[in-house]
Amino acid sequence: MSRPTVFIARRVFPEIVEGLRAHVDVRTHDGDAPLSQPELIAALQGCAGVFITTSEKIDETLLAACPALKAVCTMAVGYNNIDVAACTAHGVVATNAPDVLTETTADFGFALMMATARRITESERYLREGRWNHWGYDMFAGGDVHGATLGVLGMGRIGQAIAKRGHGGFGMKVAYHNRSHLAPEVEAALGATWMSLPDLLRSVDHLVIVTPYSAATHHLIGADQLALMKPSATLTNIARGGVVDDAALAQALAKGTIAAAGLDVFEGEPTVHPALLALRNVVLTPHIASASVPTRRAMAGLAAANLVAALGAGPRAGKPPTILNPEVLARAGAPGA
Ligand code: DGY
């Protein structure tokens, strides 16, 4: 039986590519920049599977143009770039990469929140520019993290890992907003209290946003919501661009509606709203919350394991570990089997 061919849409760890070659034929795009949609469609002709990252868009147009495709596997936990319903309609397995990045991403979210509250990058810039010539009682004085109220918007796995750090490590009060409430014993362990979104915004000192992006969460935080926050509050976004209205945020930061923001994700990234770039009170990082070497390796490894299994090969043939649309397999039997 001929082996299925898969396409790896971005440069990735060489050992992951080699591991895939043990089970399937592999074609690669070795660049760091994503292919355009027409380039991706052309590259996928004859491919049964594709390994993607956060930026390749898998939609109806692509699926209709790539009839051989049977599996789409992203190395990210977020999958707003994949139209899962369209994949299901085309009989294409879709998988993401949850769990393996939870702690690393929570570490970064917490670090970004602390850097924002304590003005770390702003003060470093000042020092590097040679402007530091005295000690001042209020020089780069920011907000405290310990003992403050942490707000978590989106209390999934990563939100809970951030709450654990705040509650257990820094004695923070934890408030959260989520569609569903946590079980009482989980709330108790995290010292967390559910609040409506307006109450959360009014109460917290440091808001960390971890909610997935969808039509329902588009601009969930805009001018009206920012206006509810304390002038001393900070906002950190490690979820996805689009959950926050970046133009409204830039205005709020410029006017002092809130004190500062830490952003790892942006609307239209890698382009960043020019008004944000001009502000001193915002910490900007290039979508790296999950970027520790071991975690990125684990994310890529999970995507590869999903791809091989979805195509009916390897030790878990027909059972991709983190499938988003199991009904495809239930309906058709294991693809490639
Ligand atoms: C994810 O996995 O969704 C992250 O945003 C990628 O780092």
Side-chain angles (χ1 to χ4, degrees):
M1 208 169 83
S2 69
R3 300 191 335 156
T5 300
V6 304
F7 182 64
I8 305 179
R10 297 284 281 283
R11 191 171 66 83
V12 71
F13 297 97
E15 62 270 29
I16 298 293
V17 181
E18 284 319 303
L20 277 169
R21 284 195 207 283
H23 301 286
V24 292
D25 290 340
V26 178
R27 295 185 207 155
T28 59
H29 164 58
D30 291 325
D32 280 323
L35 295 173
S36 68
Q37 182 93 339
E39 288 169 335
L40 184 58
I41 289 173
L44 284 178
Q45 294 312 303
C47 289
V50 62
F51 177 119
I52 61 167
T53 67
T54 55
S55 25
E56 291 77 22
K57 194 167 168 199
I58 305 297
D59 59 8
E60 175 58 37
T61 306
L62 180 139
L63 293 163
C66 302
L69 205 57
K70 291 280 167 267
V72 169
C73 301
T74 175
M75 65 176 278
V77 64
Y79 54 90
N80 53 297
N81 53 325
I82 304 176
D83 183 339
V84 177
C87 285
T88 305
H90 282 268
V92 173
V93 168
T95 69
N96 70 334
D99 300 320
V100 290
L101 78 182
T102 299
E103 298 300 328
T104 297
T105 304
D107 282 350
F108 188 89
F110 210 85
L112 186 56
M113 181 265 283
M114 290 194 79
T116 303
R118 296 301 309 275
R119 305 176 65 177
I120 288 176
T121 57
E122 182 189 355
S123 57
E124 194 206 358
R125 277 196 301 276
Y126 177 87
L127 181 152
R128 284 181 186 271
E129 286 163 8
R131 297 164 61 199
W132 182 30
N133 51 23
H134 61 264
W135 182 93
Y137 80 95
D138 59 352
M139 192 167 73
F140 296 107
D144 268 327
V145 170
H146 72 275
T149 300
L150 170 67
V152 181
L153 178 52
M155 199 54 138
R157 288 167 282 226
I158 297 170
Q160 289 176 45
I162 290 170
K164 190 172 72 182
R165 283 157 176 74
H167 177 62
F170 289 78
M172 298 179 87
K173 295 175 268 307
V174 178
Y176 73 99
H177 179 74
N178 200 51
R179 267 183 314 186
S180 53
H181 291 226
L182 295 175
E185 61 277 15
V186 180
E187 282 192 345
L190 297 173
T193 307
W194 186 93
M195 288 186 185
S196 69
L197 182 56
D199 283 349
L200 185 83
L201 295 169
R202 280 186 205 102
S203 325
V204 301
D205 298 306
H206 305 297
L207 177 70
V208 181
I209 302 173
V210 206
T211 193
Y213 180 67
S214 66
T217 60
H218 179 71
H219 286 188
L220 186 61
I221 303 298
D224 292 348
Q225 291 70 34
L226 291 162
L228 297 177
M229 295 178 72
K230 300 176 189 175
S232 56
T234 72
L235 174 154
T236 297
N237 186 9
I238 57 163
R240 278 289 181 272
V243 175
V244 176
D245 177 343
D246 284 351
L249 175 63
Q251 273 190 8
L253 289 166
K255 281 194 301 194
T257 308
I258 65 170
L263 305 175
D264 186 49
V265 288
F266 305 88
E267 290 191 275
E269 65 184 53
T271 303
V272 177
H273 196 293
L276 288 171
L277 291 170
L279 290 165
R280 56 150 196 87
N281 52 344
V282 57
V283 181
L284 305 169
T285 53
H287 201 150
I288 55 167
S290 64
S292 75
V293 176
T295 291
R296 284 285 166 87
R297 193 170 274 128
M299 292 161 69
L302 181 51
N306 274 315
L307 191 50
V308 167
L311 296 176
R316 291 188 54 119
K319 295 194 184 72
T322 52
I323 185 166
L324 294 165
N325 53 356
E327 59 274 34
V328 171
L329 292 184
R331 204 165 62 206

